[in-house]
Amino acid sequence: MTPSRIPASIDATLALLQSQGYVADRALATVLFLALRMKRPLLLEGEAGTGKTEIAKVLAAGLGRRLIRLQCYEGLDLASAVYEWNYAGQMMAIRLAEAGGAVGDRDRLEADLFSEKYLVKRPLLQALEPQEGGAPILLIDELDRTDEAFEAFLLEVLADAQVTIPELGTIKAAEPPIVILTSNRTREIHDALKRRCLYHWVGYPDAARELAILKARAPDAPAKLAKQVVGFVQAIRKEELFKAPGVAETLDWATALVELDAVALDPAIVSDTLGALLKYQDDIQAMQGSKVRELLDQVKAEARA
């Protein structure tokens, strides 16, 4: 993978994303350009399935950089996110030292046991290491799933591109990673962390952009079907649902319809495939029957207009 230069303009940033099949609006390209030029972390918030994670992936591919992903979850700790010691290896070294009669030099043995040789590096620590091709893309995905204690730890990483390991000291990146954080906003991220980042809300796209995304990511979908799929998804998002479909679900649904050789939407095929678009049974039930027909009639009327 040949590394590329950081884009020199907003238009170049848009072109970089488009070269990887990501259809972005100018507001997103602007904040991404600024994050790259100012070397600031970028916090992306929005509903699940709106393409936040994909931004880090296409940025890594477009720039030819390594993507290091930390998938967050409840209970995430330093051992999983930053580092831990190879305890099995350390115990083996102690046993070998005992067998060889070298346990008398405790200071030397301790220094050896807590050296990089026995350090297991997790994503955050890996991202601070020099990488071939330039600084990596560090994706901290779904930060809202962690707790405030982990957020507090991240402040040092985001502000100074460093982590402190008690046994080794402070490890600082020679070149800070390009950091993308995402949140589905299941809880609020603390202000102290937000202040260290540039911020952008990734919302649902309008019909024109969603159609462009569909054409880029599901090019096999017939033009008429693609337009109807986007119109139906745009209409269904206005309904009172437990979880409105994101762009990811639009792409899944269009792909499923192509697999069924559909060339246009009708009430039967929509009802049969709603499980590719909606992920909660209550939402699927609410859209069945006359509601599907009503929304389809609305989509077709708007298309004729």
Side-chain angles (χ1 to χ4, degrees):
M1 187 167 11
T2 304
S4 302
R5 293 180 180 274
I6 297 298
S9 66
I10 297 170
D11 288 336
T13 306
L14 267 173
L16 174 70
L17 296 174
Q18 289 171 354
S19 72
Q20 301 300 318
Y22 192 97
V23 182
D25 58 20
R26 193 169 184 83
L28 173 58
T30 299
V31 73
L32 183 56
F33 167 72
L34 291 173
L36 293 171
R37 301 296 290 186
M38 297 167 63
K39 297 184 178 180
R40 293 281 299 279
L42 175 59
L43 172 60
L44 301 171
E45 280 194 324
E47 297 291 342
T50 52
K52 303 182 296 298
T53 299
E54 195 67 18
I55 291 169
K57 293 180 179 179
V58 300
L59 187 61
L63 293 177
R65 306 292 181 92
R66 179 187 176 191
L67 175 65
I68 299 175
R69 179 174 181 172
L70 175 63
Q71 180 61 54
C72 297
Y73 54 86
E74 187 177 350
L76 179 65
D77 58 11
L78 299 187
S80 300
V82 190
Y83 75 97
E84 64 179 327
W85 294 104
N86 181 356
Y87 298 114
Q90 289 172 324
M91 288 301 298
M92 182 66 72
I94 292 171
R95 296 287 175 82
L96 290 173
E98 289 174 345
V103 292
D105 191 352
R106 288 183 174 276
D107 290 340
R108 181 178 176 182
L109 179 59
E110 184 177 345
D112 183 59
L113 289 175
F114 291 100
S115 64
E116 284 205 31
K117 180 166 64 172
Y118 296 102
L119 187 65
V120 181
K121 299 174 181 178
R122 300 304 187 196
L124 292 183
L125 191 53
Q126 292 173 20
L128 300 182
E129 296 183 310
Q131 305 284 334
E132 185 178 350
I137 309 297
L138 172 60
L139 169 61
I140 302 175
D141 207 15
E142 297 185 320
L143 179 62
D144 52 318
R145 292 182 178 271
T146 63
D147 55 26
E148 292 186 0
F150 186 76
E151 270 191 52
F153 169 79
L154 277 182
L155 298 181
E156 181 184 19
V157 178
L158 298 180
D160 302 313
Q162 66 181 34
V163 296
T164 300
I165 299 175
E167 299 87 350
L168 290 178
T170 299
I171 297 177
K172 186 175 179 65
E175 183 180 3
I178 298 168
V179 183
I180 305 290
L181 306 98
T182 75
S183 167
N184 294 332
R185 209 174 184 183
T186 58
R187 69 170 180 85
E188 287 294 332
I189 303 301
H190 198 277
D191 287 346
L193 188 141
K194 283 188 172 182
R195 284 198 302 270
R196 286 161 172 80
C197 305
L198 298 185
Y199 177 87
H200 186 74
W201 175 266
V202 183
Y204 296 121
D206 60 21
R209 189 156 70 88
E210 191 157 24
L211 184 59
I213 293 169
L214 186 52
K215 288 178 178 178
R217 290 303 181 100
D220 293 337
K224 181 179 180 180
L225 177 66
K227 193 168 184 180
Q228 288 183 348
V229 163
V230 169
F232 189 87
V233 172
Q234 291 279 325
I236 210 173
R237 287 192 187 126
K238 297 174 184 176
E239 301 296 319
E240 293 186 6
L241 299 174
F242 184 78
K243 174 63 178 70
V247 179
E249 284 74 36
T250 304
L251 297 174
D252 283 346
W253 191 38
T255 302
L257 291 167
V258 169
E259 290 294 327
L260 295 173
D261 297 323
V263 294
L265 293 182
D266 61 59
I269 200 166
V270 171
S271 296
D272 289 345
T273 57
L274 274 177
L277 185 65
L278 302 174
K279 306 303 179 181
Y280 290 88
Q281 178 60 20
D282 289 349
D283 288 345
I284 292 174
Q285 283 188 322
M287 291 298 111
Q288 292 284 8
S290 61
K291 191 62 179 179
V292 165
R293 193 178 301 276
E294 176 189 329
L295 289 177
L296 272 180
D297 289 344
Q298 176 186 325
V299 168
K300 291 176 181 178
E302 290 176 355
R304 287 192 298 270

